[in-house]
């Protein structure tokens, strides 16, 4: 008894546990509406327990079909499985059907069918439901469906203490008909796990328009290992504004964990455009045991449907509808795909627009007002406004240039070879001229024939029937749309470009120019886009403007001869909205001009090059680099180092000189540096050769950090010179605009070619990524201005204070570039310093000097060394060591030394002799003066005799010189003292010699 009771209690506890598990499983299946089979390995064990407890269940009532449902067991190694009955409420009935052999594990039904488990046969879905056969579809986003989860991570570089709270609330948000990614800088992953019995696929629709967000989709297995995947499958392509793209990836059998991950890097204040996701379809599940009911606003009218259709306008439907119910259109309305009818509000000023009537037969037009279509307001309701009366009839605006009205209300294009300003009749071009073809739209009474307008809605609410733009006389303006977040589209199709005859031989890369004048007036976060689609490959955003903008002009240059669709798109707000609150926010385009359009008309004629000067000569194309001489209308080549300015080749002034330090190519289409530069200063010429710097160089700037702490760098690639003006600096994106196939099967990479370009690099450690991300590549320099040592050129100035001071002997060489696409410079100036030994001038003879060695054994060596510090490279090399004999030089050196020594000795001897002689004379003279002063008379003759010791000089004469006037005066006084009346001779006896002194 005790054993039996224990067994019963054990089975009771087991039943309770499995009843709870069953309930959770049942709820899980109900939530998924039976879309695919779940794997439950516990059911075999559960059946074994029930068979073991048959005696205990003998008193239970027999089970009915409503008491259980069928489920397949896990597939075994042979690919087989069993069908078992699972009770909805275990323990309430007995007699479940016995397990039977199930279908093959890879078995599945066709689209529009489901597997009826009782008979294990495929059965058509009923009306109001649909099936994908072996797949499931996730298309309802009122809430995040069960099975999905969000994982948010902060930047790895965020300041301490902020990681936990910065991204705690970041997640994907359900917006009814789609999912929306987070708008902050957090990295958020949307995760969904699916188990496949056979290889399958996953596809989804998305909108991805903001390249400041990195959007990736990847797959992991049950061991969190990422599946091998091509880069063009992992990184999602950008889409056109307002349009949905589709992405598909193959799945392996087994567990597949799907990740949709967004990472945003904010480098400015621009508003973010989140990623939108909808219509996730997964193929490869084992079977579908139930059909999916159509969601509200959808219906399927026939059995066996694989999809549901949206209800038409002014109708609605509930879940699982096979038809739509009409609304009472007098009081209610419904948009396409509505789940309910809405009451019509009273009409207000936001429900009508102003436009112009078409010209009548009298050439008159007038301002008219009309309700925005479809009209959802009630004009008869209390408080409703009425349409304002139409304006006065006034003359229609003239035709656009190149068109004529011929006395009618309709403007027609001028015939080929003629032109018109839109007012006068078409006239043929004079001799020696050709028509200037293109479009010039500046009057907007009707939309031109090659223009069309449309409307796109983010939430997939159909607004295609609405006019996105309305003509308004002197401008065309954005329309009302259905809701404020609609994209209002204006498209101009150009089939190609046709260059004038005179310039067809030119190699210039400009085929045409698109210029338009516009302004915007906004009270919300509006944005205006200009986009191009070349050869129907993909639509690319060329430029965008946010908020209100004053009247301005923008020009885009076409660099290839291809068909192109020019698109202008306007969105009042990016926030989801079902009503019109900002209908007065609008953009106005005043004029659109396209040059050289293939099917264009002529508004004027211009001179062309003539084959000869004879009358009636036809126009001929000028060769590349030639202009049209005004006197002869003949083609003349531009002077050296000049370039032709665009397609204006009439007159020699069309040849513009290149900047300093630059030269033109053979075609005179571009100025470039050939890597050689010469500078002369103070009779010294410096020659530079930058050929070693021809290949593009790279500079990494940073790191920098966004407001949320994400680390990023700016990578600059520089092409300094050479390459005949080819822009060899290339910046590539490895995230956005991934390669796709063009019409000829080639690869179109997302890259920018320029003289200098910039990419934003996010390191792999900054976001936990496997590789660094490169994005937002832009051109910074597309035109070479010149190279000079001066600090400014063509309005661009250097800032030497940003860099270390240069050498006084060698000046810095400045290369100036400009980035002005169609003259729309943004005013930013970038300064770079490239230090390299290859930037030194070429070596010349003044950069080295000779050093002579000592003469040894009759041989002398002369070596040459660079002057330090060496400030040159390349150029001349040092001369080799020079050796020469030095005997002759040594002999004469000795002779010279001997003569020098002899002369020095002689000079010293003579100096001593005369010095001694002079001293003796000074002594004698002083004695004579002393004796004369003593008696005021001349001394006796013998007193002037030779002094003692001087007997050997008795024969010498004594000559006295008076150098001072005072001494002479004294001598005169002495001489005249003895005889005042007459002169007399006084003899001085000097031994045997007689002398006389006269007074």
């Amino acid at each position: 008894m005790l054993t039996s009771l224990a067994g019963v209690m054990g089975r009771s506890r087991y039943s309770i546990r499995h009843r709870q598990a069953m309930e959770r499983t049942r709820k899980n299946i109900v939530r998924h509406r039976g879309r695919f089979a779940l794997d439950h390995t516990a059911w075999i064990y559960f059946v074994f327990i029930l068979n073991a407890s048959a005696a205990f269940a003998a008193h239970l009532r027999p089970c009915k079909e409503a008491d259980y449902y069928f489920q397949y067991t896990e597939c075994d190694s042979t690919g087989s499985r069993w069908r078992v009955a699972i009770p909805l409420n275990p323990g309430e009935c007995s007699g479940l059907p016995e397990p039977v052999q199930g279908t093959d594990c890879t078995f599945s039904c066709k689209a529009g069918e489901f597997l009826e488990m009782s008979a294990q046969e495929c059965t058509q879905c009923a009306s109001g439901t649909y099936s994908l056969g072996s797949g499931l579809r996730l298309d309802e986003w009122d809430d995040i469906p069960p099975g999905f989860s969000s994982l948010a991570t902060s930047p790895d570089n965020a300041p301490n203490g902020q990681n936990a709270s910065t991204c705690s609330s970041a997640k994907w948000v359900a917006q009814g008909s789609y999912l929306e990614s987070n708008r902050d800088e957090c990295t958020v992953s949307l995760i969904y796990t699916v188990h496949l019995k056979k290889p399958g696929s996953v596809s989804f629709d998305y909108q991805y328009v903001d390249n400041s967000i990195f959007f990736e989709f990847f797959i992991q297995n049950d061991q969190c290992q990422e599946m091998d995947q091509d880069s063009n499958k992992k990184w999602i392509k950008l889409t056109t504004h307002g349009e949905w793209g589709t992405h598909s990836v193959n799945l392996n059998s087994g567990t597949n964990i799907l990740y949709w991950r967004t990472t945003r890097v904010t480098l400015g204040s621009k508003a973010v455009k989140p990623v939108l996701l909808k219509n996730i379809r997964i193929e490869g599940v084992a079977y579908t045991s139930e059909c999916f009911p159509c969601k509200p606003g959808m219906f399927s009218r026939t059995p066996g449907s694989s999809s549901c259709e949206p209800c038409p306008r002014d109708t609605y439907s509930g879940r699982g509808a096979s038809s739509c119910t009409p609304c009472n259109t007098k009081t209610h309305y419904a948009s396409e795909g509505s789940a309910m009818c809405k009451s019509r509000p009273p009409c207000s000023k936001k429900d009508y627009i102003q436009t112009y009537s078409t010209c009548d037969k009298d050439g008159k037009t007038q301002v008219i007002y009309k309700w925005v279509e479809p009209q959802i307001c009630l004009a008869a309701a209390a408080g409703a406004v009425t349409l304002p009366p139409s304006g006065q009839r006034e003359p229609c605006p003239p035709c656009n240039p190149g068109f004529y009205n011929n006395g009618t209300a309709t403007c027609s294009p001028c015939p080929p070879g003629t032109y018109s300003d839109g007012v006068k009749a078409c006239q043929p071009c004079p001799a020696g001229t050709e028509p200037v073809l293109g479009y010039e739209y500046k009057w907007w009474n009707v939309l031109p024939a090659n223009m069309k307008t449309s409307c796109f809605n983010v939430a997939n609410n159909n607004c295609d029937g609405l006019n996105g733009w309305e003509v308004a006389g002197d401008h065309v303006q954005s329309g009302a749309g259905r809701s404020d977040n609609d994209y209002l589209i204006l498209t101009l199709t150009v089939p190609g470009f046709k260059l004038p005859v005179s310039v067809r031989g030119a190699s210039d890369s400009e085929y045409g120019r698109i210029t338009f004048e516009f302004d915007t007036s906004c009270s919300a976060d509006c944005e205006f886009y200009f986009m191009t689609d070349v050869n129907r490959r993909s639509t690319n955003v060329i430029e965008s403007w946010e908020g209100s903008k004053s009247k301005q002009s923008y020009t885009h240059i076409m660099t290839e001869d291809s068909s192109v669709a020019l698109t202008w798109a306007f969105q009042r707000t990016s926030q989801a909205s079902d009503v019109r609150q900002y209908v007065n926010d609008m953009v106005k385009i005043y004029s659109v001009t396209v040059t050289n359009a293939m099917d264009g008309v002529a508004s004027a004629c211009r001179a062309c090059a003539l084959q000869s000067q004879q009358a009636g000569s036809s126009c001929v194309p000028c060769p590349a680099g030639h202009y049209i001489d005004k006197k002869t209308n003949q083609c003349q080549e531009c002077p050296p180092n000049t370039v032709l300015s665009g397609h204006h080749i009439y007159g020699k002034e069309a040849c513009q000189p290149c900047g300093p330090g630059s030269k033109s190519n053979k075609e005179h289409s571009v100025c470039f540096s050939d890597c050689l530069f010469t500078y002369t200063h103070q009779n010294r010429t410096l020659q530079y050769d930058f050929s070693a710097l021809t290949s593009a160089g790279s500079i990494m700037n940073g790191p920098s950090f966004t407001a949320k702490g994400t680390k990023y760098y700016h990578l600059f690639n520089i092409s300094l010179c050479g390459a005949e003006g080819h822009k060899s600096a290339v910046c590539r994106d490895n995230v956005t605009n991934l390669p796709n196939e063009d019409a000829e099967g080639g690869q179109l990479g997302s890259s920018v070619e320029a003289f200098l370009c910039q990419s934003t690099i996010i390191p792999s450690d900054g976001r936990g990524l496997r590789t660094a991300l490169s994005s937002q590549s832009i051109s910074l320099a597309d035109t070479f201005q010149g190279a000079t040592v001066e600090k400014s050129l063509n309005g661009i100035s250097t800032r030497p204070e940003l860099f270390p001071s240069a050498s006084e002997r060698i000046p810095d060489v400045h290369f100036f570039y400009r980035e002005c696409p169609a003259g729309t410079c943004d005013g930013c100036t970038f300064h770079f310093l490239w230090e390299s030994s290859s930037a030194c001038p070429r070596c010349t003879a003044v950069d080295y000097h000779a050093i002579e060695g000592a003469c040894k054994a009759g041989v002398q060596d002369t070596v040459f060394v660079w002057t330090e510090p060496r400030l040159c490279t390349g150029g001349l090399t040092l001369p080799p060591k020079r050796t020469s004999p030095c005997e002759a030089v040594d002999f004469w050196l000795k002779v010279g030394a001997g003569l020098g020594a002899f002369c020095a000795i002689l000079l010293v001897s003579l100096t001593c002799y005369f010095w001694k002689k002079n001293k003796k004379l000074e002594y004698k003279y002083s004695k004579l003066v002393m004796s004369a002063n003593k008696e005021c008379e001349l001394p006796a003759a013998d007193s002037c005799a030779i002094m003692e010791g001087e007997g050997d000089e008795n024969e010498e004469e004594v000559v006295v010189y008076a150098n001072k006037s005072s001494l002479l005066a004294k001598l005169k006084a002495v001489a005249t003292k003895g005889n005042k009346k007459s002169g007399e001779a006084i003899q001085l006896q000097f031994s045997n010699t007689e002398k006389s002194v006269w007074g």
Side-chain angles (χ1 to χ4, degrees), residues 261-314:
R261 183 161 68 182
T262 58
T263 301
R264 180 185 174 222
V265 178
T266 305
L267 302 181
S269 58
K270 189 175 181 179
V272 66
K273 301 287 186 180
V275 175
L276 309 182
L277 188 66
K278 69 175 185 178
N279 293 341
I280 300 176
R281 300 169 295 275
I282 299 176
E283 294 285 345
V285 298
Y287 62 91
T288 300
S289 60
E290 288 184 5
C291 293
F292 309 146
C294 294
K295 68 178 183 178
M298 309 287 286
F299 75 101
S300 64
R301 60 167 56 93
T302 59
S305 297
S306 60
S307 62
C308 299
E309 304 175 34
C311 288
R313 183 177 299 155
D314 291 332

Side-chain angles (χ1 to χ4, degrees), residues 254-413:
T255 301
N256 292 267
I257 307 175
L258 313 180
Y259 286 83
W260 292 267
R261 183 161 68 182
T262 58
T263 301
R264 180 185 174 222
V265 178
T266 305
L267 302 181
S269 58
K270 189 175 181 179
V272 66
K273 301 287 186 180
V275 175
L276 309 182
L277 188 66
K278 69 175 185 178
N279 293 341
I280 300 176
R281 300 169 295 275
I282 299 176
E283 294 285 345
V285 298
Y287 62 91
T288 300
S289 60
E290 288 184 5
C291 293
F292 309 146
C294 294
K295 68 178 183 178
M298 309 287 286
F299 75 101
S300 64
R301 60 167 56 93
T302 59
S305 297
S306 60
S307 62
C308 299
E309 304 175 34
C311 288
R313 183 177 299 155
D314 291 332
T315 64
Y316 72 98
S317 70
R319 182 178 299 278
S322 59
S323 62
C324 298
T325 304
C327 300
N328 182 0
T329 55
K330 293 183 179 180
T331 57
H332 292 76
Y333 76 98
S335 302
E336 183 179 356
S338 295
M340 60 182 295
C341 296
K342 297 180 180 179
S343 299
R344 294 183 179 272
C347 291
S348 65
K349 293 183 179 180
K350 296 181 179 180
D351 293 311
Y352 64 82
I353 58 174
Q354 172 187 317
T355 185
Y356 282 78
S357 64
T358 58
C359 289
D360 57 20
K361 62 180 180 179
D362 298 327
K364 300 289 186 179
T365 185
Q366 63 183 149
V367 174
I368 60 175
Y369 299 88
K370 62 180 182 179
W371 298 113
V372 175
E373 295 294 338
Q375 183 181 351
I376 63 173
C377 65
L378 285 176
V385 300
T386 59
L387 284 176
S390 300
Q392 298 293 328
R393 297 175 71 243
E394 55 187 28
C396 292
C399 295
N400 283 309
F403 291 82
Y404 71 103
N405 58 20
N406 199 20
T408 65
T410 304
C411 293
S412 302

Side-chain angles (χ1 to χ4, degrees), residues 909-924:
S909 300
L910 291 175
T911 302
C912 293
Y913 171 76
F914 285 110
W915 180 80
K916 185 176 181 181
K917 195 70 173 176
N918 187 54
K919 295 298 287 183
K920 290 181 180 179
L921 291 176
E922 287 181 358
Y923 177 73
K924 292 179 180 179

